[in-house]
Amino acid sequence: MRRRKLDPAATAAPADQQAARLAALKLLNRRDHGARELAVRLAACGFEPATATVVVERLVQEKLLDDARFAEHFVAYHANRGQGPVRIAHQLREAGVAAELIKATVDAGSAEWRRRCAEVRRKRFGAREPGSFAERGRQARFLTQRGFNSDQVRAAIGRDLDGE
């Protein structure tokens, strides 16, 4: 794991809410963060966990920090990189996003994910359907590792994996 550089303001006053707010705004300036993720990052910068929590709660009240917006941007970014809903949902859970928000944002049952899975397969392996069982298995493993579920993989490969 990478060691984070301690914020100079945090080393001087780890309980200073104004310094923690500035550090949080600097982090938010680069990209969106989830509330829990931002609190962890602030604590890693050297601020007290209680101070980080208070600052994050204020940022949420001011609507400068929004888990729904974070989840929406996260899903769009990772889906465009060819990742599937299972993997994206797992990463959002690790980032501390609420389960109901993940379910609403990811929506693994939508037809869009089947289209994306087929697109990822086509980009990696070409337009032709796999001819042999070994090739179908290889493509299925690749798509599964990318985070697509079995229904999406079967639809993308074009035939059932059992050869039926």
Side-chain angles (χ1 to χ4, degrees), residues 21-162:
R21 178 183 169 81
L22 272 172
L25 290 174
K26 283 181 185 177
L27 289 170
L28 288 172
N29 190 31
R30 293 185 196 122
R31 71 169 179 88
D32 274 335
H33 291 274
R36 190 184 95 192
E37 178 187 26
L38 185 61
V40 168
R41 298 270 316 254
L42 287 173
C45 286
F47 293 101
E48 291 178 354
T51 303
T53 303
V54 169
V55 168
V56 166
E57 286 173 2
R58 280 205 191 116
L59 291 172
V60 168
Q61 289 171 353
E62 295 171 15
K63 300 200 187 307
L64 293 173
L65 184 63
D66 185 13
D67 275 349
R69 182 178 60 223
F70 166 69
E72 191 175 308
H73 289 169
F74 191 92
V75 169
Y77 176 76
H78 288 278
N80 287 335
R81 291 185 64 209
Q83 295 178 0
V86 175
R87 183 174 183 173
I88 293 171
H90 177 73
Q91 290 172 332
L92 283 172
R93 255 189 312 280
E94 285 182 342
V97 177
E100 53 276 350
L101 187 58
I102 293 172
K103 187 176 180 181
T105 310
V106 174
D107 189 22
S110 79
E112 178 68 17
W113 288 111
R114 283 180 181 235
R115 186 191 63 75
R116 284 186 185 272
C117 184
E119 188 178 298
V120 168
R121 190 204 69 78
R122 209 172 10 264
K123 185 176 179 182
R124 171 76 172 171
F125 299 105
R128 287 187 38 213
E129 287 186 358
S132 67
F133 182 76
E135 182 61 21
R136 283 194 303 262
R138 187 170 80 90
Q139 291 184 17
R141 280 189 301 280
F142 171 78
L143 293 171
T144 302
Q145 288 172 350
R146 295 299 288 241
F148 294 99
N149 65 31
S150 60
D151 292 335
Q152 295 157 352
V153 170
R154 282 193 173 116
I157 290 178
R159 288 187 246 167
D160 197 357
L161 292 178
D162 297 331

